[in-house]
Amino acid sequence: MKKQYGISIVELMVALALGLLVTGAAFSVFLTNLATQRHQQGNAALMDSARLAFELMARELREAGANACGTSLIVNVLNNPSSNWWSTWNAGGIVGYGGSTSGPRSFGTQSAQRVSGTEAILIQSATLDTGSTITQHYPTSAQFKVRNTNHGIKDGDILMACDNESGAIFQVTNANNTNVTIVHNTGTGNPGNCSKGLGYANPPDCTTNGTSKTFKNGGYLAKLTSVFWYIGHNPRGGRSLYRHSVSGDPSQPDTDEIVDNIHQLEFRYLPFGGSDYVAAANVSNWSQIRAVRITITIRAEDNRDTQGQPVERRLTHTVFLRNQTES
């Protein structure tokens, strides 16, 4: 009868060592694949953030300077319109801000404050989705009649009235959703109107009756929308793309965090007749900007590369403005 031998301690140790080697190699491959997957997911998230940032800014840039009637002759009868960022209508609907130029949002380190050294842009428009059609206009009594009562216009709103001839920016002094009357008188409101006359004049005639104009039936009243895009500090200790806006009522601005991980924002502007994109400091006439090139730097602090550094991408998108005409 043959002897039966068990596994020796040496054989057992060799088997365990081999098993550990195989397990270690498999675990190493697993960790590598997991890190690669996380890295790829992080990159995909960054690209999604970039696409969203570009799409939202580009949509508003394309509408810069737009009004419901397509006229380029706009008078502004607000009191001291240059004293408020949301009331200064630029003929081109855009104004760029360099990294050291102050704007509607102050530089600082608190949540939603603008990051020092980052660029920004102001975009203004008055489009069809924010108002109502004019049926009658009585300049002497400073009253508009509109087509319906659910116009959404209220006291204090900043509006643009327009027809195919010209437009006018003013503040509503009396309106509600129970009737179709919109009043634009003087002597009340903040900042209020310097004149009842809404006819085009350059500079505006700020006497009580001013330059008279009767807006045509079929003209339009739309809320003046002013939007300031900038990089701000977010509540999580990082940076995000923010949108600071006023639409109609200047006493109720909105500040919204739009996309996180946006670390830098840069704008370059192409003037009509120019061959190169230039910085905001080199633009002499904002009404003569044909296109805007946006460059964003995305940085994900929680997504690291093989050297342990935050993953960063720098992407560029160009937007041509629809409402600019060469003069």
Side-chain angles (χ1 to χ4, degrees):
M1 185 175 180
K2 292 183 179 180
K3 286 185 177 182
Q4 293 184 354
Y5 297 95
I7 300 174
S8 69
I9 189 67
V10 174
E11 292 172 324
L12 181 60
M13 291 179 66
V14 170
L16 287 173
L18 291 173
L20 287 173
L21 285 173
V22 172
T23 303
F27 192 64
S28 176
V29 171
F30 170 77
L31 289 178
T32 300
N33 288 340
L34 183 61
T36 300
Q37 182 183 23
R38 286 177 176 171
H39 185 67
Q40 290 174 341
Q41 288 175 339
N43 282 339
L46 288 181
M47 297 306 293
D48 286 342
S49 295
R51 280 192 289 269
L52 179 59
F54 281 139
E55 175 60 27
L56 294 176
M57 284 190 289
R59 184 182 303 171
E60 293 191 326
L61 268 170
R62 282 191 287 267
E63 294 300 321
N67 60 75
C69 308
T71 181
S72 60
L73 299 178
I74 309 293
V75 66
N76 191 336
V77 300
L78 296 173
N79 287 314
N80 302 313
S82 61
S83 62
N84 298 298
W85 70 274
W86 42 262
S87 62
T88 302
W89 174 262
N90 181 273
I94 63 168
V95 176
Y97 294 77
S100 61
T101 306
S102 60
R105 295 296 290 173
S106 60
F107 293 114
T109 58
Q110 300 301 309
S111 178
Q113 287 187 319
R114 188 174 161 203
V115 177
S116 179
T118 59
E119 298 183 8
I121 194 168
L122 169 64
I123 307 170
Q124 293 179 292
S125 63
T127 52
L128 284 167
D129 56 349
T130 61
S132 187
T133 303
I134 298 168
T135 58
Q136 290 177 302
H137 181 212
Y138 304 97
T140 304
S141 58
Q143 291 186 5
F144 285 101
K145 300 292 185 181
V146 294
R147 183 160 293 169
N148 45 45
T149 57
N150 60 336
H151 44 68
I153 297 169
K154 61 184 185 300
D155 292 6
D157 279 353
I158 307 299
L159 301 186
M160 180 186 290
C162 69
D163 57 21
N164 64 327
E165 295 177 346
S166 65
I169 296 170
F170 63 92
Q171 187 166 37
V172 175
T173 56
N174 188 273
N176 59 67
N177 288 334
T178 62
N179 60 58
V180 295
T181 302
I182 311 294
V183 183
H184 58 94
N185 221 322
T186 57
T188 186
N190 182 19
N193 302 311
C194 71
S195 176
K196 293 190 294 184
L198 302 183
Y200 179 77
N202 187 17
D205 181 353
C206 269
T207 59
T208 300
N209 292 316
T211 303
S212 182
K213 172 182 169 68
T214 302
F215 281 88
K216 300 175 181 178
N217 180 2
Y220 207 79
L221 294 181
K223 293 181 181 180
L224 180 64
T225 299
S226 301
V227 178
F228 186 68
W229 288 95
Y230 70 102
I231 299 296
H233 299 279
N234 64 41
R236 300 170 297 283
R239 298 181 181 186
S240 293
L241 177 66
Y242 278 82
R243 182 181 185 272
H244 182 65
S245 64
V246 165
S247 182
D249 187 351
S251 67
Q252 296 181 340
D254 292 315
T255 303
D256 300 303
E257 181 185 355
I258 303 300
V259 182
D260 65 358
N261 293 325
I262 307 296
H263 194 75
Q264 271 289 355
L265 185 60
E266 179 184 283
F267 297 96
R268 293 295 180 266
Y269 307 92
L270 180 65
F272 279 104
S275 57
D276 295 319
Y277 285 82
V278 299
N282 298 320
V283 176
S284 59
N285 186 350
W286 288 106
S287 69
Q288 289 297 289
I289 297 301
R290 181 187 180 195
V292 179
R293 187 172 64 200
I294 313 168
T295 300
I296 61 175
T297 301
I298 314 172
R299 178 185 295 176
E301 298 291 344
D302 58 349
N303 186 23
R304 304 277 167 161
D305 59 20
T306 54
Q307 283 75 44
Q309 298 300 312
V311 174
E312 186 173 289
R313 296 289 183 269
R314 184 176 167 86
L315 304 166
T316 298
H317 183 65
T318 300
V319 182
F320 283 85
L321 308 185
R322 295 173 176 170
N323 302 289
Q324 298 284 64
T325 55
E326 186 174 9
S327 63

